[in-house]
Amino acid sequence: MIKITPGTRTERFKVHITREDIQLFARSIGFMSGIHVEEDAAQAAGFSSLVAPPTYPVLCWHEVEVPWLARITEPLLHGKQSFHYDSPITAGNTYVCQLQLVNATQRFRGEGQLMTRLEQRLEGFRKDEQSERVFTADSTFISFQQNLKIEKEM
Amino acid sequence: MEQLEKEAVIGPLYSEAFDKKQLNAYASASADKNPIHLDEKAAQAAGFDKEIAHGMLVMAAAHAALNRELNRVSIVDSYETRFYNPLYAGGQLTFWFVVKASEENNALVSFQYVGKDQQDRRIVTGKIVLRFL
């Protein structure tokens, strides 16, 4: 039985983002010009360096051990995703990130198959004294893993 | 600069085909190596006909398509998407956007959107808020 507990957080972890990281990601999603791949364009728009495309925080998911996902063996499906920016992610900066399992629910669907819905939040903060939040990424994942048990925190 | 009128429809905007080469490139760039995107047998074992595109790639493609069409410098303030059906490898998407609100003297504009595949199946819907610079 795999037990998962809403409220669980990962450790805080640092992600340093380079121009090359942003360029590689931006090109893989079809940006061949503009503020995501051209330094001149980013600076002309008033940024210190390249601006990450909005879905860039997905890369941070793989930078830390996520206890509520680590033991799930069935494929996870994406139900919903949102990104909210307090300020843009720009190249040359280090962000302090943390993931939290916000909620987990289970229900039977269709022919009686158990479906688990995991709601997870990733937050990224500036690595300076103010440590202001830069981005929030909320995800809803669906799993059909059959041996999951949700344990609410006491 | 042309103003985006409320309720104006932008589309159809066509994505490139989400072929295996692109899925592989995205898997590598995003570090998402979930085999349902890369391996036909793994996708079938998970109940799909064949490999499916990464949801995050589809979401990225919608923003890229809107960005290309508007051809104005902007950053994303917020962006949310709901996934309804898988997009199979080799499939292509058509996106439609509707201007829903405009604030701060048209600097902040929100769009509702839908993405459908060639069979007219709804793959994604969502909302994106752009800040024009």
Side-chain angles (χ1 to χ4, degrees), chain A residues 118-134:
Chain A
L118 302 169
E119 293 171 40
Q120 131 186 331
R121 167 167 285 190
L122 165 68
E123 288 178 297
F125 301 87
R126 233 176 257 297
K127 186 181 167 288
D128 57 21
E129 284 182 4
Q130 286 76 39
S131 59
E132 285 171 350
R133 191 178 63 190
V134 174

Side-chain angles (χ1 to χ4, degrees), chain B residues 1-4 70-73 105-107 132-133:
Chain B
M1 190 182 294
E2 192 184 334
Q3 193 185 325
L4 291 159
L70 297 176
N71 197 24
R72 287 165 58 181
V73 180
N105 202 20
N106 302 319
F132 292 100
L133 302 173

Side-chain angles (χ1 to χ4, degrees), chain A residues 13-26 36 39 48-53 55-61 63 85 87-97 122 124-125 127 134-135:
Chain A
F13 57 102
K14 290 177 197 157
V15 179
H16 182 70
I17 300 177
T18 67
R19 277 196 299 183
E20 292 72 25
D21 293 334
I22 291 181
Q23 278 171 336
L24 177 71
F25 184 79
H36 304 311
E39 190 72 16
S48 56
S49 186
L50 298 182
V51 178
T55 59
Y56 190 91
V58 300
L59 275 164
C60 304
W61 292 339
E63 296 286 327
Y85 284 90
S87 58
I89 295 172
T90 48
N93 291 311
T94 300
Y95 297 92
V96 177
C97 302
L122 165 68
F125 301 87
K127 186 181 167 288
V134 174
F135 62 88

Side-chain angles (χ1 to χ4, degrees), chain B residues 40-105:
Chain B
E40 187 166 20
K41 287 195 171 66
Q44 287 169 346
F48 301 108
D49 293 348
K50 58 178 178 170
E51 301 94 319
I52 62 170
H54 304 73
M56 289 297 89
L57 174 58
V58 170
M59 191 169 175
H63 166 244
L66 179 63
N67 197 68
R68 267 195 305 276
E69 176 69 15
L70 297 176
N71 197 24
R72 287 165 58 181
V73 180
S74 66
I75 55 172
V76 169
D77 187 76
S78 66
Y79 187 13
E80 55 190 62
T81 291
R82 182 169 179 160
F83 302 92
Y84 294 88
N85 285 300
L87 177 72
Y88 289 109
Q92 211 176 347
L93 284 173
T94 305
F95 297 112
W96 298 85
F97 294 82
V98 182
V99 179
K100 293 311 295 181
S102 174
E103 295 172 51
E104 300 180 23
N105 202 20

Side-chain angles (χ1 to χ4, degrees), chain A residues 31 61 63 69 84 93 98-99 112 128 149:
Chain A
F31 284 99
W61 292 339
E63 296 286 327
L69 299 182
H84 177 83
N93 291 311
Q98 189 171 37
L99 276 157
D128 57 21
K149 184 172 190 292

